[in-house]
Amino acid sequence: MQPPQLTLKAGTSWAATYERCVQSAPEAFGPDYVRNRWADAWQHDGRAAPALSPVDGTPIPGPPLLSGAEAAEAVRAAHQLHQQWRRTPLRERQARVSAALDSLEAHRDLLARLLVWEIGKPWKQACADVDRCVDGVRWYVAESERQLAGRAPLDGPVSNIASWNYPMSVLMHAMLIQTLAGNAVIAKVPTDGGLSCLTLAAALAVREGLPVSLISGRGSALSPALVRSPEIGCVAFVGGRAAGARVAAGLAGLDRRHFLEQEGLNSWGVWEYSDWTLLSEQIRRSFDYAKQRCTAYPRFVVQRSLLDRFLAAYLPAVRDVRFGHPLAVELPDDPYPELDFGPLINDAKAKELADLTDGAVAGGGLPLYRGSMADGLFLPGQQTSAYLPPAAILSPPNSSPLFHAEPFGPVDTIVVVDTEAELLSAMNVSNGSLVASVSCDDETTALRIGAEVRSFKLGVNKPRSRGDREEYFGGQGNSWRGAFVGGDLLMRAVTRGPAGERLPGNYPDCTLLPG
């Protein structure tokens, strides 16, 4: 029986989506270009970089790239905004941030559809990204009077550099909280995606009087200004270790607030365990957004005597993973498709991971599972170069990057061990991670093992997430530098407290909180 031919969901084309942006915020969007926001104005400047949607190769407006000199001018202008905003009473800041959240909520579906087209998120996950931003910041508004008692804004604006995968629930969320704390903010648009979504969100915030600057450019050009400019009060970074190391090097010698969230190979250990039904469900959910997130679990470390039962739980779960075009439906008015993931961020990333998988197998790794593009949901004749089916490699060779680094895609590695010492060695191979989990029937044993894992958060028989609100967040080893954040600590990281205060964090001369 032939599968049904799919079509694009009605009203969701890129042309229709972008036209709504132009109608909603004409000050920020031109017919085929997007403006930067700095010096308290929308600027039609920069050199537009070409861009394609990872969904199907549709041309979309690319970021208007600024030079380093222009970025330095934008930082100086943000500092002037900061001097005005820092004197704004908290009640007014609360009201303006709340009004911005109301506007984001009113534009939620448009923001989510931009996330689908720009970074390939399936609909449900795109909506969740917007909702987490709005709901999370509302919690801070409600708690801000308590959190900010006895504290003051920084001396300069907060500079934000973040990866493309969570434009709303990570980057916009942080920017709104930073303004709530009394700081102006300047953010670099991620070069790989999220331009229109972030620009629309920024436009809605600016309309409510929030001091938001948003600029585009290559990291090599903009980082010196966004990291080392004397006007900057704090640097907030979320991204990979290579880029994070460059930011950390730029901060060297500066007495400047910073928090640098970097990747790590998050591992899931399986030791003396028997609830395979639960683990199978957790494995399926682990493929959310193609594991393109900092708390994904691409490494499973399994006790040898349990390998057969682990595989009996793992393989059906990975075979059930659904991927494809996030807007492909049988009939135009059908609901959005239920997918675990869509494309990767671009075709270069898909090819990189495919080549790494092939290289790991050629080097001696065993291909436990390789999905087929025929299993994906695609439109007739659509471009699919940014898509990658899930894959799993048993015992990847030590020489492969898949052995020691986060793939940031739907490729799992499975390592078999015989002793607890081997388990810990395999789970700690990347010298620090953000999260880890141990599946073990005895919780005492799981906690004892977990105490030796170099991860900031530990899940026992469950995954861990980045968390926020009451739960703070950080990292160990090479996965984090600077102050810890989340909940009250996030407000403390972007404000000044009593003289001599030591911020909790992962850097010299700090108070290190337990994970």
Side-chain angles (χ1 to χ4, degrees), residues 56 70 109 118 145 156 225 231 323 434 507 515:
D56 61 4
E70 290 170 314
D109 285 4
E118 292 193 290
E145 189 168 353
E231 296 89 354
F323 68 97
L434 301 174
Y507 53 171

Side-chain angles (χ1 to χ4, degrees), residues 153-174:
L154 300 175
D155 294 330
V158 181
S159 173
N160 292 269
I161 304 170
S163 57
W164 46 265
N165 52 340
Y166 286 92
M168 293 298 297
S169 62
V170 172
L171 182 51
M172 197 65 198
H173 178 272

Side-chain angles (χ1 to χ4, degrees), residues 13 29 59 63 114 176 186 212 226 233 244 254 281 299 302 306-307 315 343 385 388 426 431 436 440 444 458 501:
S13 70
F29 294 90
L114 288 167
L176 291 172
I186 183 168
V212 172
L226 293 175
L254 301 179
E281 295 169 354
R299 162 64 56 84
V302 184
L306 299 180
L307 181 61
L315 292 173
S385 57
L388 184 72
N431 185 24
C440 180
T444 301
L458 176 72
E501 176 186 56

Side-chain angles (χ1 to χ4, degrees), residues 15 30 50 55-56 75 77 143 175 178 181 210 276 278 302 309 357 362 388 401 406 437 444 449 461 465 468 508 513:
V55 170
D56 61 4
V75 168
E143 297 291 325
M175 292 164 64
Q178 292 157 10
L210 297 183
W276 304 109
L278 174 61
V302 184
R309 282 161 281 183
T357 302
L388 184 72
E406 181 182 27
S437 289
T444 301
I449 292 172
N461 299 324
S465 67
D468 203 8
L513 295 182

Side-chain angles (χ1 to χ4, degrees), residues 69-291:
E70 290 170 314
E73 188 176 348
V75 168
R76 288 191 290 270
H79 186 262
Q80 293 177 356
L81 284 178
H82 180 81
Q83 301 314 310
Q84 302 167 19
W85 180 252
R86 65 183 300 191
R87 295 191 292 270
T88 304
L90 175 58
R91 290 297 174 87
E92 183 177 344
R93 301 199 307 261
Q94 291 171 327
R96 293 194 180 204
V97 170
S98 294
L101 294 173
D102 291 343
S103 189
L104 292 176
E105 199 164 41
H107 291 79
R108 180 255 210 173
D109 285 4
L110 177 54
L111 291 163
R113 204 188 316 156
L114 288 167
L115 292 177
V116 172
W117 278 108
E118 292 193 290
I119 62 175
K121 285 202 170 187
W123 177 249
K124 184 181 292 185
Q125 296 164 26
C127 290
D129 195 13
V130 180
D131 292 343
R132 282 197 296 266
C133 172
V134 173
D135 295 343
V137 179
R138 287 200 193 281
W139 181 87
Y140 281 91
V141 172
E143 297 291 325
S144 56
E145 189 168 353
R146 175 187 61 80
Q147 292 173 327
L148 295 173
R151 307 192 68 80
L154 300 175
D155 294 330
V158 181
S159 173
N160 292 269
I161 304 170
S163 57
W164 46 265
N165 52 340
Y166 286 92
M168 293 298 297
S169 62
V170 172
L171 182 51
M172 197 65 198
H173 178 272
M175 292 164 64
L176 291 172
I177 293 168
Q178 292 157 10
T179 63
L180 178 64
N183 305 295
V185 297
I186 183 168
K188 175 188 173 299
V189 174
T191 307
D192 286 331
L195 168 68
S196 293
C197 178
L198 282 168
T199 300
L200 177 59
L204 299 175
V206 166
R207 285 181 181 178
E208 303 303 335
L210 297 183
V212 172
S213 300
L214 191 67
I215 61 175
S216 299
R218 303 293 180 192
S220 57
L222 268 56
S223 283
L226 293 175
V227 174
R228 293 195 62 85
S229 290
E231 296 89 354
I232 294 295
C234 176
V235 176
F237 171 86
V238 179
R241 288 192 177 184
R246 290 191 291 270
V247 171
L251 288 164
L254 301 179
D255 182 18
R256 177 162 299 163
R257 295 284 182 91
H258 62 277
F259 37 98
L260 313 182
E261 177 186 333
Q262 301 168 100
E263 66 192 21
L265 183 58
N266 305 318
S267 296
W268 195 310
V270 182
W271 188 262
E272 297 176 355
Y273 184 68
S274 63
D275 193 348
W276 304 109
T277 300
L278 174 61
L279 185 60
S280 186
E281 295 169 354
Q282 294 167 338
I283 289 168
R284 165 68 186 274
R285 291 195 296 270
S286 77
F287 280 91
D288 176 67
Y289 194 36
K291 305 204 175 196

Side-chain angles (χ1 to χ4, degrees), residues 406-441:
E406 181 182 27
F408 224 65
V411 179
D412 281 347
T413 56
I414 299 168
V415 176
V416 179
V417 297
D418 294 298
T419 67
E420 287 188 15
E422 290 176 313
L423 179 79
L424 290 169
S425 177
M427 293 185 71
N428 288 329
V429 71
S430 70
N431 185 24
S433 62
L434 301 174
V435 297
S437 289
V438 176
S439 287
C440 180
D441 290 340

Side-chain angles (χ1 to χ4, degrees), residues 42-60:
W42 290 99
Q43 315 278 356
H44 187 190
D45 56 7
R47 177 177 53 83
L52 302 174
S53 168
V55 170
D56 61 4
T58 295
I60 60 178

